[in-house]
């Protein structure tokens, strides 16, 4: 079993869903803040370094993160319009910071929008930054509405992301199974599909599938689209 490469993988699923929801909302929006980080994400990021005004965070997101045990309210519920202070619970501070800083790196380099070309560009950047859980969230709406070869290709891209997500969690068996399924679904996809470098991803999947099946002890192949970025962090 391989070591976790993403410390935020241990976040409760409800917390990952809530944080990914903030990211997806910003990816679909036309406007962005000056530093590329959406206001709600910035609030949570600041909460990882101390308490922040809870009224500045979307109430549903705040409730989901509190329920997941990631955010903690200080001073009890707000009364008479007073602000409720929230902070990231100590066990999750590093994981939340890692996740949100990764989001920030993606947000400054991708187009906004929910059409297929935008979603594929977003998915490529998320793959490059190891945000495999978020790739699934970004592509699933497009997959649900697609038909024919497009649906098969999107399914393959999602399965590839989920395979690496399982590997991050140390589940090599599930990773190997999904990598094989993703490779099969992408076998007939052109090298560049709707602007997405499917051929490059397919070669990466094949290398990982072989490595996972062989149970080699040496370093794994590069994660997708990492070759141009230098050594894996």
């Amino acid at each position: 079993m391989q070591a976790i490469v993403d410390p935020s993988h241990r976040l409760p699923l409800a917390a990952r869903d809530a944080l990914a929801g903030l990211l997806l909302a910003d990816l679909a929006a036309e406007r962005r803040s000056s530093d590329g980080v959406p206001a709600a994400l910035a609030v949570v990021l600041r909460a990882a370094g101390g308490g922040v005004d809870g009224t500045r965070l979307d109430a549903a997101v705040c409730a989901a993160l509190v329920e997941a045990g990631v955010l903690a309210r200080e001073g009890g519920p707000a009364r008479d319009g007073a602000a409720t202070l929230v902070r990231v619970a100590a066990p999750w501070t590093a994981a939340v910071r890692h996740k949100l800083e990764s989001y920030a790196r993606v947000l400054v380099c991708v187009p906004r929008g929910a059409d297929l070309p935008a979603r594929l560009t977003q998915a490529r950047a998320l793959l490059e930054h190891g945000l495999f859980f978020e790739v699934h969230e970004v592509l699933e709406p497009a997959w649900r509405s697609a038909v024919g070869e497009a649906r098969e290709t999107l399914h393959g891209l999602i399965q590839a992301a989920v395979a690496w997500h399982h590997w991050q969690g140390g589940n090599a068996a599930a990773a190997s199974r999904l990598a094989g399924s993703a490779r099969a679904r992408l076998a007939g996809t052109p090298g560049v599909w709707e602007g997405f470098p499917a051929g490059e991803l397919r070669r990466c999947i094949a290398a990982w599938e072989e490595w996972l099946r062989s149970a080699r002890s040496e370093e794994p192949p590069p994660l997708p689209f990492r070759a141009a970025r230098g050594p894996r962090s």
Side-chain angles (χ1 to χ4, degrees), residues 49-104:
V52 297
D53 179 354
T55 62
R56 297 185 59 198
L57 186 61
D58 179 87
V61 172
C62 186
L65 291 171
V66 169
E67 184 177 355
V70 173
L71 281 187
R73 299 184 190 273
E74 295 182 349
R79 294 185 179 89
D80 301 324
T84 300
L85 197 65
V86 297
R87 59 180 174 78
V88 174
W92 306 114
T93 301
V96 168
R97 186 179 294 279
H98 174 87
K99 177 69 76 177
L100 296 181
E101 288 175 349
S102 296
Y103 285 0

Side-chain angles (χ1 to χ4, degrees), residues 11-21 64-65 68-70 92 96 103 133:
L11 283 168
L13 179 59
R16 281 182 275 151
D17 281 340
L19 293 174
L65 291 171
V70 173
W92 306 114
V96 168
Y103 285 0
F133 178 83

Side-chain angles (χ1 to χ4, degrees), residues 18-29 31-46 56-57 99-108 110 112:
L19 293 174
L22 293 176
L23 174 67
L24 294 181
D26 193 65
L27 286 173
R31 57 187 178 85
R32 68 179 74 186
S33 61
S34 59
D35 59 359
V37 183
L41 285 177
V43 170
V44 180
L45 183 57
R46 284 195 292 274
R56 297 185 59 198
L57 186 61
K99 177 69 76 177
L100 296 181
E101 288 175 349
S102 296
Y103 285 0
R105 288 192 290 271
V106 170
L107 286 165
V108 297
V110 298
R112 300 303 199 268

Side-chain angles (χ1 to χ4, degrees), residues 15 76 103 109 124 149-150 152 157 160 175 216 218:
Y103 285 0
C109 67
R124 187 201 182 285
E149 293 181 1
E152 187 76 356
L157 297 179
R216 295 173 178 172
E218 63 259 27

